[in-house]
């Protein structure tokens, strides 16, 4: 009987090893281990054995049964994996086939740059405020220390809409409105659209954008101004950017400076972009003129402040190396897609 | 202001190269617009001797010259000039040379004869008599025989000068002249500054015997000085003076006119010389023009004057437009014998007004507009007389008429040095502050740490400590300023709610594939007509720009759609197949016209889409996504925008507020933009949408019980809107309705005419239990009943 057992087990092992299909293996399980299977049949013959032999042979048969069960389930697992592998292989795709498009749009490049600026200044504690585009002469000029017929008015060609009403030529007008409605400490930026009667060409547009910054508090100095602008310049142009002040004149600040940064193209060595100087002029700034503070009801002997005005369009065209400012307003989709 | 560097050296020692001087002046607040080395544009032109002249075989006017140019071999040059002879020294432009006019000379053949350059006239070298005697002769410039052959013409002409164009800021009118710039240079370089000290001899007489001067309006003319010069000897001014005038962009005329111009360039004070003999009644009256008066100015133009304009009149009529331009009648001419010289201060806003009103701007009026110094008026007059004396241009009559109502005291500023350094944030040593201010001509003393500063009237721009701080820093150097990080209370920067809301809308739109555009706030005056609006449509009440750049940019927009249509047209014309665009900007709504107060500037969203996959409903989907941001309930009504397709447009209501319209653009409107495709636009009043406050979001438990789906197919009248069917379903299902989805609309074959087939999937769900068949049947019956009420015929 032990001989028979050995034969059955060997035959089963061979059959399992040769099996290559999940349904076949199930047939084998039934053939050997099922209710009518060969091993089951063997167990049924146990009755014919002697009392001593019965447990011994029983143990052997059970051992063989367990062995075959394990073998079959391992084979089953193996075949399953294999089948899955085959399926996955068949499902291989050409990964260079085009994607199913998710169509998304883009912000206008001016606003992409503006959002970066807002984030920088907001993180430095600047509120972002707004002001009207149609301004009164008072807010656009008078209060900014540019009285009627002041020669500084020649610096900007203004569009007029009516008696004392004009399209603001600078976001500085928002300075005044801010100082009138808020008490120091004041820390705001005012981004917005401004207008000057410049004929349209590659570098001039009658409509452009500025970001005005204003800080008023006790003990504010030019060093604070430089600190803020350095922080800004490093964020925008890179961490090793340097900032230089050059004396200049704006009616609403005193002292007034033009602010240059090291050319991001050549790192300050001098190139075509910076016309060899190593520096690029990016904005005008200065300490708020005492007359301006006074006209907003702020005592210049107690408070001081600084203001700056950044040209967003120029910042945008230099960042993306856009050669013609008119492209910003033409709105060709192939242009807008690039940013 | 353009200045000859060589000329500046008459007033100040300049011990650094021109480029360095410019750099240092920039850092002191004087931007340099250009620096031009004379002779840079004159290359390879040399002194040459004519060895031999032979006629040209094929020409009756060309001559062939063999030229000694200082080389081993003679050079052959063909010329058309006739004023030359063998042995003459002339300027020769050799092969590969450049002339000041920009011409590049290369060798070539003239009627078959080789010519290796060109003989030059004075004109071709851009020379005047001031540069070289004989330069104005019509023909080749014949040089004096003192120059060695082969000498570079730049050396011959003494072209070692630089012309520097300083940009003078509006606060520094005192630097619109040689002396002002020279003074600044002396401070920047720390070298000596010398202003000329006017000295001259008079020829006796008494001015009062010659002229009387009366100022009727001291308001507009705070100071008026007059002098008489007799027996004029009019001729050319000296070369040095002509060169200085030319360098500064003016034209030499004669010694008297040149002196007045030169003194203006030197001192910043405009001067005017009248022909004394043309002054009626020997009177000068400074007064406002009278009604009906007019003047013909030096340039021959005729102007009608009004009573706001200041004139210098003689006993009869205006003789000069004060501060702007002289009259033709009293012009100095070659035969003028005697002159009346004026040096005056006029109020700058009056000059500006008059100049603008008449459209005249001159070197003089520009200076008056920026402001001249009341004390400098006298110095300039003295300087002019000194030059008249030194150049022997006439006999100066004794006596000076000086009309003024008293001269202002110097401004005294007393401030502690701490107050100055406080503003800068940098410690500048007190003695440095004092020495800088003194060097700038602001007499400054210090006691303790308080400085007292006497500001001369010429530095009228200095009013207080901020100005002193600037003066100190621009000389001390802005590189001393070291940036400090933000100090003070830590605050969080906030955005305005409108910006936050607009940003949310932009995110949705970008996610929906739309590109943001930027267009001008002004449009053409006729653009609104393309929208076919009725004549009384309020959007026609547009604000006009008084001084637009052109009609195209003349009108503040009351809507954004015309700009959007232009952008759609641009893209369609460029064969870009599809696009979704949006813009958030302002519409300008006047309170009344013409405007007397600021208009309302209202935030507006404009949308525009086109392409093969776009239609009314894709745009509707975008609009719903936007309104969803605000959690508002959206409804539509038929609308009647004239510029939209009458059957494909709708009014949008969010929480019952009208926020805008959208739809397919009317083909006639599209056609006006050259668009043949179907395009779709929307215009949404964000100012209204933004008033909708989103309700606070609270969590709703996720459903515990399954939903059941039932389909309802029905026939309805062809013009029944599906919105009505949806309402019927909703009212039938009550609060058990989860959603109702339209899945089919069909009309045509197998459907009776005048009817359409509509099919909805309806999901029902209870929060409390699994719906039983009985409950579901009950609700279905209610839905069917409601549907039948609106005339639907359910299909089984």
């Amino acid at each position: 009987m032990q001989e028979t057992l050995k034969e059955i087990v060997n035959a089963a092992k061979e059959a399992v090893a040769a099996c290559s299909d999940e349904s076949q293996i199930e047939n084998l399980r039934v053939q050997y281990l099922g209710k009518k299977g060969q091993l089951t049949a063997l167990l049924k013959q146990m009755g014919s054995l002697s009392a001593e032999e019965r447990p011994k042979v029983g143990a052997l048969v059970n051992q063989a049964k367990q062995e075959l069960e394990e073998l079959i389930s391992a084979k089953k697992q193996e075949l399953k994996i294999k089948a899955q592998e085959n399926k996955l292989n068949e499902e291989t795709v050409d990964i260079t086939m085009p994607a199913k498009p998710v169509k998304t749009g883009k912000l206008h490049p001016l606003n992409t740059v503006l959002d970066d600026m807002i984030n920088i200044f907001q993180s430095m504690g600047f509120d972002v405020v707004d002001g009207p585009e149609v301004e009164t002469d008072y807010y656009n000029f008078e209060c900014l220390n540019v009285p009627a017929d002041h020669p500084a008015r020649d610096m900007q060609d203004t569009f007029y809409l009516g008696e004392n009403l004009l399209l603001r030529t600078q976001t500085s007008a928002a300075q005044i409105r801010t100082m009138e409605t808020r008490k120091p400490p004041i820390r705001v930026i005012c981004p917005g659209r401004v207008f000057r009667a410049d004929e349209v060409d590659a570098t001039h547009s009658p409509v452009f954008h500025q970001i005005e910054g204003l800080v008023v508090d006790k003990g504010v100095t030019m060093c604070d101004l430089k600190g803020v602008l350095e922080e800004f310049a490093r964020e925008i142009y890179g961490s090793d950017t340097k900032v230089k002040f050059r004396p200049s004149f704006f009616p609403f600040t005193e002292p007034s400076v033009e602010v240059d940064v090291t050319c991001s193209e050549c790192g300050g060595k001098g190139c075509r972009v910076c016309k060899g100087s190593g520096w690029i002029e990016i904005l005008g700034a200065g300490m708020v003129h005492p007359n301006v503070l006074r006209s907003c009801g702020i005592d210049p002997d107690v408070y001081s402040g600084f203001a700056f005005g950044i040209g967003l369009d120029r910042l945008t065209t230099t960042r993306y190396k856009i050669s013609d400012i008119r492209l910003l307003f033409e709105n060709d989709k192939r242009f807008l897609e690039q940013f | 202001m353009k200045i000859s560097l060589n000329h500046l050296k008459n007033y100040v020692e300049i011990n650094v190269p021109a480029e360095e001087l410019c750099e240092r002046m920039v850092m002191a607040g004087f931007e340099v617009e250009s620096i031009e080395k004379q002779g840079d544009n004159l290359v390879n032109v040399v002194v040459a001797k004519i060895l031999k002249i032979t006629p040209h075989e094929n020409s009756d006017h060309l001559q062939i010259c063999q030229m000694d140019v200082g080389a081993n071999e003679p050079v052959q040059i063909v010329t058309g000039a006739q004023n030359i002879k063998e042995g003459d020294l002339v300027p020769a432009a050799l092969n590969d040379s450049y002339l000041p006019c920009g011409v590049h000379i290369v060798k070539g053949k003239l009627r078959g004869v080789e010519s290796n350059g060109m003989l030059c006239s004075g004109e071709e070298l851009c020379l005047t008599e001031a540069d070289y005697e004989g330069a104005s002769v019509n023909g080749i410039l014949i040089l004096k025989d003192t120059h060695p052959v082969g000498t570079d013409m730049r050396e011959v002409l003494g072209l070692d000068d630089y012309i520097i164009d300083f940009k003078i800021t509006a606060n520094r009118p005192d630097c619109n002249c040689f002396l002002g710039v020279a003074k600044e240079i002396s401070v920047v370089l720390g070298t000596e500054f010398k202003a000329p000290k006017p000295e001259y001899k008079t020829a006796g007489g008494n001015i009062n015997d010659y002229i009387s001067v009366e100022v009727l309006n001291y308001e507009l003319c705070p100071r008026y000085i007059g002098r008489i010069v007799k027996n004029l000897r009019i001729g050319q001014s000296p070369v040095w003076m002509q060169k200085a005038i030319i360098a500064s962009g003016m034209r030499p005329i004669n010694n008297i006119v040149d002196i007045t111009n030169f003194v203006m360039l030197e001192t910043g004070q405009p001067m005017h010389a009248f022909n004394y003999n043309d002054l009626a009644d020997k009177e000068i009256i400074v007064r406002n023009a009278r009604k009906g008066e007019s003047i013909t100015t030096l340039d021959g133009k005729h102007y009608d004057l009004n009573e706001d304009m200041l004139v210098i009149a003689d006993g009869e009529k205006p003789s000069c437009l004060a501060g702007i331009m002289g009259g033709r009648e009293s012009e100095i001419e070659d035969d003028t014998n005697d002159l009346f010289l004026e040096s005056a201060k006029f109020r700058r806003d009056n000059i500006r007004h008059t100049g603008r009103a008449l459209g005249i701007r001159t070197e003089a009026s520009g200076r008056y507009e920026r402001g001249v110094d009341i004390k400098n008026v006298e110095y300039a007059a003295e300087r002019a007389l000194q030059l008249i004396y030194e150049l022997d241009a006439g006999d100066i009559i004794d006596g000076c008429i000086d009309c003024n109502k008293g001269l202002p005291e110097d401004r005294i500023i007393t401030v502690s040095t701490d107050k100055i350094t406080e503003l800068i944030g940098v410690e500048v040593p007190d003695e440095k502050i004092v020495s800088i201010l003194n060097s700038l001509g602001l007499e400054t003393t210090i006691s303790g740490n308080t400085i007292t500063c006497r500001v001369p009237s010429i530095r009228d721009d200095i009013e207080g400590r901020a100005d002193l701080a600037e003066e100190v820093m621009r000389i001390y150097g802005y590189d001393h300023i070291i940036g400090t990080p933000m100090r003070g209370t830590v605050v969080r920067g906030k955005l305005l709610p409108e910006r936050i809301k607009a940003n949310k809308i932009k995110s949705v739109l970008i996610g929906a594939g739309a590109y943001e555009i930027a267009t001008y706030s002004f449009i053409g005056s006729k653009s609104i007509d393309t929208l076919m609006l009725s004549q009384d449509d309020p959007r026609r009440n547009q604000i006009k720009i008084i001084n637009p750049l052109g009609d195209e940019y003349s009108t503040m927009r009351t809507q954004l759609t015309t700009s959007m249509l232009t952008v759609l047209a641009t893209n369609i014309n460029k064969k870009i197949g599809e696009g979704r665009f949006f813009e958030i900007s302002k519409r300008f709504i006047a309170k009344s016209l013409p405007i007397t107060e600021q208009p309302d500037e209202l935030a507006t969203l404009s949308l525009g889409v086109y392409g093969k996959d776009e239609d009314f409903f894709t745009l509707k989907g975008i609009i719903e996504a936007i309104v969803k941001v605000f959690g508002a309930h959206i409804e539509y009504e038929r609308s009647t925008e004239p510029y939209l397709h009458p059957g494909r447009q709708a009014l949008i209501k969010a929480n019952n507020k009208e926020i805008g319209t959208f739809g397919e653009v009317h083909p006639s409107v599209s056609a006006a933009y050259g668009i043949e495709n179907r395009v779709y636009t929307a215009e949404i009043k964000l100012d209204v949408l933004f008033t909708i406050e989103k309700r606070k979001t609270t969590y709703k438990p996720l459903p515990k019980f399954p939903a059941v789906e039932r389909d309802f197919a029905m026939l309805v009248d062809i013009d029944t809107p599906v919105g009505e069917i949806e309402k019927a379903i909703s009212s039938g299902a009550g609060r058990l309705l989860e959603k109702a989805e339209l899945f089919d609309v069909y009309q045509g074959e197998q459907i009776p005419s005048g009817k359409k087939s509509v099919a909805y999937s309806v999901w029902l769900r209870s929060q409390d239990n699994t719906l039983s068949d009985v409950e579901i049947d009950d609700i279905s019956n209610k839905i069917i009943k409601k549907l039948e009420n609106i005339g639907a015929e359910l299909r089984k």
Side-chain angles (χ1 to χ4, degrees):
Chain A
M1 197 170 180
Q2 290 183 27
E3 281 301 306
T4 320
L5 180 64
K6 220 173 220 168
E7 274 166 27
I8 292 172
V9 168
N10 284 343
K13 279 184 178 171
E14 263 172 48
V16 167
C19 180
S20 64
D21 181 295
E22 267 188 282
S23 56
Q24 273 180 15
I25 194 86
E26 181 58 21
N27 289 343
L28 284 177
R29 193 189 65 78
V30 172
Q31 188 186 334
Y32 291 99
L33 302 171
K35 278 180 189 165
K36 291 175 184 166
Q38 295 186 17
L39 273 182
T40 320
L42 210 57
L43 272 175
K44 281 180 186 161
Q45 294 170 26
M46 290 283 285
S48 63
L49 293 176
S50 67
E52 301 101 70
E53 268 184 324
R54 216 177 287 157
K56 203 172 148 200
V57 174
L60 280 174
V61 174
N62 275 330
Q63 197 188 337
K65 194 179 170 190
Q66 197 180 341
E67 195 183 348
L68 281 186
E69 267 170 3
E70 280 169 15
L71 199 66
I72 288 171
S73 96
K75 186 68 185 182
K76 256 188 177 170
Q77 188 65 21
E78 185 195 317
L79 287 176
K80 203 173 171 186
I81 290 171
K82 202 158 182 196
Q84 192 185 37
E85 269 174 8
N86 285 340
K87 185 164 182 257
L88 293 182
N89 269 334
E90 282 163 19
E91 285 174 358
T92 300
V93 297
D94 176 358
I95 56 164
T96 63
M97 296 259 284
K100 291 180 181 161
V102 174
K103 286 190 185 168
T104 54
K106 292 268 178 71
L107 276 183
H108 192 275
L110 284 170
N111 279 331
T112 303
V113 177
L114 175 59
D115 279 356
D116 287 352
M117 311 249 296
I118 286 178
N119 284 339
I120 295 167
F121 285 108
Q122 214 185 343
S123 72
M124 285 194 272
F126 285 76
D127 284 351
V128 183
V129 300
D130 204 0
E133 289 171 18
V134 176
E135 263 299 357
T136 62
D137 185 273
Y138 178 78
Y139 283 100
N140 195 70
F141 289 125
E142 289 276 339
C143 245
L144 289 165
N145 208 28
V146 189
D149 293 306
H150 190 281
R153 289 201 179 188
D154 279 350
M155 293 159 70
Q156 307 158 344
D157 287 309
T158 310
F159 289 117
Y160 284 92
L161 301 178
E163 180 99 358
N164 296 321
L165 287 169
L166 44 83
L167 288 175
R168 67 175 171 191
T169 60
Q170 51 204 7
T171 41
S172 310
Q175 268 187 37
I176 306 296
R177 293 188 178 272
T178 303
M179 285 191 277
E180 279 180 352
T181 52
R182 297 175 176 220
K183 291 290 145 237
I186 293 170
R187 210 182 279 180
V188 298
I189 59 169
C190 174
R193 198 163 248 215
V194 296
F195 306 83
R196 286 184 203 170
D198 273 331
E199 289 292 345
V200 185
D201 64 25
T203 54
H204 292 91
S205 164
V207 177
F208 56 105
H209 303 80
Q210 284 185 336
I211 296 131
E212 185 78 10
L214 174 72
V215 171
V216 180
D217 202 350
K218 287 178 180 161
V220 174
T221 73
M222 284 195 100
C223 292
D224 298 324
L225 168 62
K226 194 165 183 185
V228 165
L229 294 179
E230 278 173 347
E231 189 68 35
F232 157 75
R234 284 194 287 256
E235 284 289 329
I236 292 281
Y237 296 101
S239 56
D240 47 2
T241 304
K242 289 184 195 63
V243 169
K244 182 171 85 173
F245 280 0
R246 241 178 330 112
S248 187
F249 169 71
F250 306 106
F252 32 90
T253 50
E254 186 79 29
S256 301
V257 288
E258 291 285 359
V259 180
D260 297 344
V261 295
T262 38
C263 176
S264 51
E265 196 65 27
C266 61
K269 286 193 281 287
C271 66
R272 197 177 44 82
V273 174
C274 56
K275 298 191 183 88
S277 71
W279 296 92
I280 291 185
E281 183 181 318
I282 55 160
L283 59 97
M287 302 302 289
V288 182
H289 198 290
N291 292 352
V292 175
L293 289 173
R294 223 173 273 126
S295 68
C296 298
I298 294 173
D299 184 351
D301 289 326
V302 179
Y303 293 100
S304 56
F306 61 76
F308 54 85
I310 304 167
L312 179 61
D313 309 68
R314 175 111 194 279
L315 205 63
T316 305
T317 51
T318 49
R319 175 193 281 196
Y320 298 119
K321 302 192 169 63
I322 298 168
S323 56
D324 189 328
I325 195 171
R326 284 172 289 201
L327 286 165
L328 292 174
F329 297 98
E330 191 189 11
N331 303 299
D332 186 315
K333 189 175 156 203
R334 295 162 302 179
F335 173 80
L336 299 171
E337 279 168 348
Q338 296 179 27
F339 305 98
Chain B
M1 156 151 217
K2 284 190 172 182
I3 307 186
S4 144
L5 183 63
N6 279 351
H7 186 71
L8 277 176
K9 290 176 181 165
N10 293 319
Y11 314 108
V12 60
E13 185 195 336
I14 297 174
N15 52 11
V16 296
E19 288 79 8
E20 187 186 336
L21 173 72
C22 288
E23 265 167 43
R24 291 176 68 175
M25 287 297 279
V26 167
M27 291 315 291
F30 294 88
E31 220 175 286
V32 172
E33 302 255 45
S34 65
I35 168 166
E36 177 190 315
K37 189 175 188 302
Q38 279 193 326
D40 266 1
N41 48 14
L42 180 63
V43 181
N44 209 13
V45 182
V46 301
V47 176
K49 188 174 197 169
I50 304 175
L51 299 175
K52 193 177 174 200
I53 302 179
T54 48
H56 192 297
E57 283 182 355
N58 304 325
S59 166
D60 54 2
H61 72 280
L62 293 178
Q63 308 193 73
I64 303 164
C65 307
Q66 303 303 323
M67 307 294 300
D68 176 3
V69 299
N72 294 334
E73 296 290 319
V75 171
Q76 174 171 299
I77 294 177
V78 179
T79 180
Q82 302 300 325
N83 69 326
I84 46 170
K85 59 180 191 300
E86 288 176 1
D88 279 348
L89 282 184
V90 297
L94 304 179
N95 182 35
D96 195 18
S97 58
Y98 288 89
L99 302 186
C101 46
V103 172
H104 185 202
I105 305 288
V106 287
K107 66 179 176 187
K109 281 186 176 171
L110 279 176
R111 296 214 183 165
V113 177
E114 189 174 300
S115 177
N116 296 298
M118 185 177 99
L119 306 188
C120 304
S121 68
E123 194 187 349
E124 280 156 348
L125 297 177
C126 294
L127 302 178
T128 66
E129 287 294 315
D131 301 301
Y132 201 93
E133 205 184 319
S136 63
V137 167
N138 183 21
I140 300 301
L141 173 61
I142 308 297
L143 300 169
K144 296 187 198 88
D145 54 11
T146 48
H147 312 293
V149 164
T151 311
D152 192 308
M153 275 303 288
R154 285 179 287 203
E155 200 179 309
V156 171
L157 297 166
L159 295 181
D160 56 348
D161 201 2
Y162 289 84
I163 310 294
I164 304 173
D165 190 0
F166 291 105
K167 186 176 170 188
I168 309 296
T169 53
N171 60 328
R172 293 302 304 274
D174 61 301
C175 287
N176 261 317
C177 60
F178 304 156
L179 288 172
V181 171
K183 171 83 190 163
E184 289 292 328
I185 291 175
S186 79
V187 176
V188 168
L189 300 182
T191 56
E192 202 192 340
F193 168 72
K194 304 187 299 279
K197 287 206 174 53
E199 281 170 356
Y200 53 88
K201 288 203 178 77
T202 57
N206 181 344
I207 189 168
N208 295 315
D209 296 338
Y210 291 86
I211 193 108
S212 72
V213 177
E214 191 179 4
V215 175
L216 295 183
N217 191 341
Y218 277 104
E219 205 35 37
L220 300 187
C221 174
R223 192 173 193 187
Y224 195 95
I225 285 178
R227 296 296 300 250
I228 294 284
V229 180
K230 297 242 335 155
N231 309 322
L232 295 184
R233 293 172 283 281
I234 299 213
Q236 290 222 332
S237 58
V239 167
W240 65 264
M241 184 180 281
Q242 290 192 31
K243 279 192 167 177
I245 289 173
I246 291 169
S248 294
M250 294 185 82
R251 213 159 36 87
I253 294 170
N254 61 45
N255 50 0
I256 295 297
V257 176
D258 290 356
I259 286 170
T260 58
N261 284 336
F262 175 80
V263 171
M264 173 176 73
L265 293 170
E266 187 183 54
T267 67
Q269 170 64 47
M271 308 246 113
H272 185 62
F274 296 80
N275 185 338
Y276 169 77
N277 302 303
D278 289 335
L279 295 174
D281 303 337
K282 306 306 163 210
E283 267 184 340
I284 286 285
I285 304 165
V286 183
R287 61 166 171 83
N288 292 55
R290 295 183 186 129
K291 219 175 183 167
E293 279 186 333
S294 62
I295 190 169
T296 302
T297 47
L298 287 173
D299 54 3
K301 290 187 181 139
H302 188 81
Y303 298 98
D304 290 324
L305 307 177
N306 70 41
E307 290 151 295
D308 295 331
M309 297 170 177
L310 193 71
V311 297
I312 315 301
D314 59 17
E316 291 171 356
K317 62 194 176 307
S319 182
C320 171
L321 208 45
I324 298 174
M325 201 185 276
R328 172 161 257 183
E329 234 169 87
S330 56
E331 184 180 2
I332 301 288
E333 284 164 310
D334 288 351
D335 58 351
T336 303
N337 269 323
D338 312 311
L339 72 79
F340 172 75
L341 182 73
E342 161 199 295
S343 178
K345 176 176 171 74
F346 300 113
R347 207 168 88 177
R348 61 191 196 188
D349 56 348
N350 182 260
I351 300 293
R352 186 182 148 101
H353 267 310
T354 306
R356 294 261 152 138
L358 300 179
I360 322 175
R361 203 180 148 88
T362 59
E363 284 281 339
S365 72
R367 284 180 166 76
Y368 278 121
E369 279 180 24
R370 288 162 151 239
V372 301
D373 174 33
I374 195 163
K375 292 182 178 163
N376 198 33
V377 170
E378 186 178 356
Y379 174 79
E382 293 292 294
R383 175 68 172 146
L385 293 174
Q386 177 187 26
L387 290 167
I388 288 171
Y389 175 74
E390 285 176 355
L391 303 182
D392 192 31
D395 302 330
I396 300 160
I397 299 302
D398 252 343
C400 168
I401 296 176
D402 185 352
C403 303
N404 66 73
K405 289 277 183 198
L407 301 180
E409 294 289 318
D410 287 347
R411 184 180 288 141
I412 305 291
I413 300 173
T414 305
V415 66
S416 84
T417 50
D418 295 346
K419 279 279 174 193
I420 292 177
T421 51
E422 237 169 49
L423 206 55
I424 307 165
V426 172
E427 284 297 328
V428 185
D430 285 358
E431 58 272 23
K432 192 77 198 164
I433 292 177
V434 173
S435 77
I436 288 173
L437 294 177
N438 271 312
S439 70
L440 287 165
L442 313 167
E443 256 177 58
T444 305
T445 55
I446 186 160
S447 139
N449 68 353
T450 301
I451 59 167
T452 304
C453 198
R454 175 183 286 272
V455 183
S457 57
I458 200 163
R459 289 304 309 273
D460 201 33
D461 59 303
I462 294 177
E463 294 176 322
R465 67 161 172 143
D467 306 288
L468 293 179
E470 175 164 270
E471 292 304 296
V472 169
M473 277 320 290
R474 69 183 181 89
I475 302 300
Y476 187 60
Y478 276 112
D479 48 348
H480 286 91
I481 291 180
I482 306 298
T484 48
M486 277 306 279
R487 299 175 295 142
T489 328
V490 175
V491 284
R492 184 180 66 89
K494 290 183 285 294
L495 297 177
L496 295 174
E498 293 77 20
R499 185 174 289 278
I500 295 171
K501 288 174 185 172
N503 283 346
K504 283 186 180 160
I505 291 179
K506 288 185 186 185
S507 305
V508 168
L509 286 168
I510 287 167
Y515 287 89
E516 189 184 22
I517 60 170
T519 60
Y520 287 173
S521 310
F522 30 66
I523 56 177
S525 66
K526 300 278 188 296
S527 296
I528 197 84
D529 295 338
T530 60
L531 297 184
M532 311 196 298
L533 304 179
S534 67
Q535 281 312 309
D536 56 355
D537 192 297
R539 284 169 291 191
R540 287 186 176 275
N541 300 332
Q542 302 173 107
I543 303 163
K544 297 271 181 205
I545 295 171
I546 293 170
N547 55 331
L549 280 179
D551 186 63
E552 206 185 337
Y553 309 125
S554 64
T555 310
M556 300 308 292
R557 57 183 175 183
T558 54
Q559 45 73 40
L560 272 55
T561 299
T562 51
S563 306
M564 179 57 79
L565 287 170
T566 307
V567 170
L568 296 181
T570 300
N571 282 280
I572 290 169
N573 283 338
K574 294 186 176 185
K575 308 274 182 268
I576 295 163
E578 55 175 34
R580 291 182 166 187
F581 301 96
F582 74 96
E583 177 171 31
I584 292 181
S585 192
K586 291 172 166 182
R587 60 188 198 279
F588 296 83
I589 308 299
K591 293 179 180 120
S592 62
L593 280 176
I595 56 166
T596 51
E597 58 184 314
Q598 284 170 284
D600 289 323
E601 298 181 10
L602 304 173
T604 312
L605 167 67
S606 158
L607 284 165
V609 305
Y610 72 91
K612 66 174 170 30
D613 297 331
E614 304 288 5
D615 59 26
F616 178 87
F617 298 102
T618 57
L619 184 54
K620 188 177 176 186
I622 298 172
I623 288 163
E624 295 197 352
I626 294 164
V627 175
K628 204 167 158 191
V629 169
F630 296 86
H633 174 66
I634 191 162
E635 281 178 304
Y636 303 94
E637 286 174 15
R638 284 214 178 272
S639 57
T640 55
E641 275 291 12
Y643 65 85
L644 294 175
H645 186 307
R648 296 185 176 182
Q649 59 165 303
L651 173 75
I652 313 157
K653 282 174 130 181
N655 284 5
N656 234 5
K657 292 176 180 171
E658 294 183 6
I659 58 165
T661 48
F662 76 100
E664 183 175 321
V665 175
H666 195 290
S668 304
V669 174
S670 306
Y673 289 82
I675 299 172
E676 288 171 0
N677 315 26
R678 290 181 191 267
V679 299
Y680 307 85
T681 64
E683 183 150 331
I684 295 178
K685 297 169 176 167
L686 293 183
D687 53 308
V688 181
L689 184 58
F690 285 171
T691 60
I692 296 173
E693 286 304 327
K694 194 180 177 194
R695 270 189 316 215
K696 233 171 86 183
T697 308
T698 45
Y699 153 80
K700 270 204 252 23
L702 300 177
K704 291 193 190 72
F705 304 99
V708 285
E709 187 198 336
R710 286 286 180 277
D711 291 349
F712 295 87
M714 67 206 87
L715 287 177
V716 291
D717 285 347
I718 210 156
D719 52 4
T720 303
V722 292
E724 245 181 74
I725 296 170
E726 237 164 82
K727 273 185 192 157
I729 293 171
S730 170
S731 74
R735 51 180 202 84
L736 293 180
L737 179 70
E738 187 161 87
K739 62 177 176 180
E741 261 179 21
L742 177 69
F743 72 86
D744 188 46
V745 179
Y746 177 74
Q747 60 199 63
E749 253 180 78
Q750 292 166 11
I751 304 292
S753 74
K755 294 278 179 187
K756 63 183 170 187
S757 159
V758 177
Y760 267 91
S761 287
V762 175
W763 278 265
L764 301 167
R765 193 199 296 269
S766 162
Q767 294 298 323
D768 308 319
N769 61 301
T770 303
L771 292 174
S772 68
D773 288 349
V774 178
E775 282 174 299
I776 295 164
D777 287 345
D778 181 40
I779 296 160
S780 295
N781 288 334
K782 283 184 183 162
I783 293 174
I784 291 167
K785 202 156 184 204
K786 293 281 182 189
L787 289 171
E788 283 169 351
N789 285 348
I790 60 162
E793 185 190 320
L794 271 292
R795 308 175 83 195
K796 301 292 173 206

